[in-house]
Amino acid sequence: MCGIYGIVSSESPVLCNIGSHLNHRGPDYNGEYQDSHIIIGHTLLSIRGDELKSRQPCSDANSPWVMAFNGQLYNTNEIKEIISKEFLNEDIDTVLLYELIKLKGWHFIDYIEGMFSIVLYNTEKKLLKLYRDESGQKHLYYNLSYNKLSFASEIEAL
């Protein structure tokens, strides 16, 4: 049960401790990505595999994508076949999802099955999208007011 949170603003964003309200969801690691108009945060509850591979938000110097993910992918074998043979032995959903995003961009959503909430930001286009599984098993709340978008895994954090 990880947590994701953030804020988008036309001015320099300030989180006002949104992340601290989600520490109970992920006591193993808390990471943030920030640029001049956005902060994306993630609290990690490490359940399986290498904790270092699960740390988020995910970003890569050679990629415009920043991702925070809470959930579980059900079709990891299909995703492994799509992204590359070098990931056949990978069992961390975060790694597989981020590689799929780097390959498919915004269309990654057409290739995944599972329970999830995902925050995806493109640093080149300065565009943020929020995703949630159709059944809503992984919550993602948001508030749009005063020209600011804030979002979090729990409504109390907002």
Side-chain angles (χ1 to χ4, degrees), residues 56-138:
Q56 299 177 47
C58 296
S59 62
D60 181 338
N62 299 318
S63 172
W65 301 106
V66 178
M67 177 205 72
F69 163 69
N70 176 28
Q72 180 181 2
L73 300 177
Y74 300 152
N75 63 328
T76 55
N77 288 335
E78 291 89 352
I79 293 170
K80 290 175 190 181
E81 291 293 324
I82 293 168
I83 56 177
S84 174
K85 299 291 185 208
E86 71 183 85
F87 292 97
L88 288 179
N89 294 321
E90 183 58 66
D91 64 347
I92 305 293
D93 288 359
T94 303
V95 173
L96 296 172
L97 180 58
Y98 190 65
E99 290 300 319
L100 181 66
I101 288 168
K102 291 193 311 187
L103 182 66
K104 298 294 185 181
W106 299 118
H107 299 288
F108 82 94
I109 195 70
D110 298 329
Y111 298 90
I112 66 171
E113 296 173 15
M115 59 176 181
F116 55 82
S117 58
I118 300 168
V119 174
L120 186 58
Y121 178 60
N122 185 293
T123 60
E124 291 173 352
K125 296 184 181 201
K126 303 292 184 201
L127 184 60
L128 174 82
K129 292 189 180 185
L130 307 175
Y131 300 86
R132 196 182 72 178
D133 63 274
E134 291 180 8
S135 63
Q137 292 182 60
K138 295 297 179 181

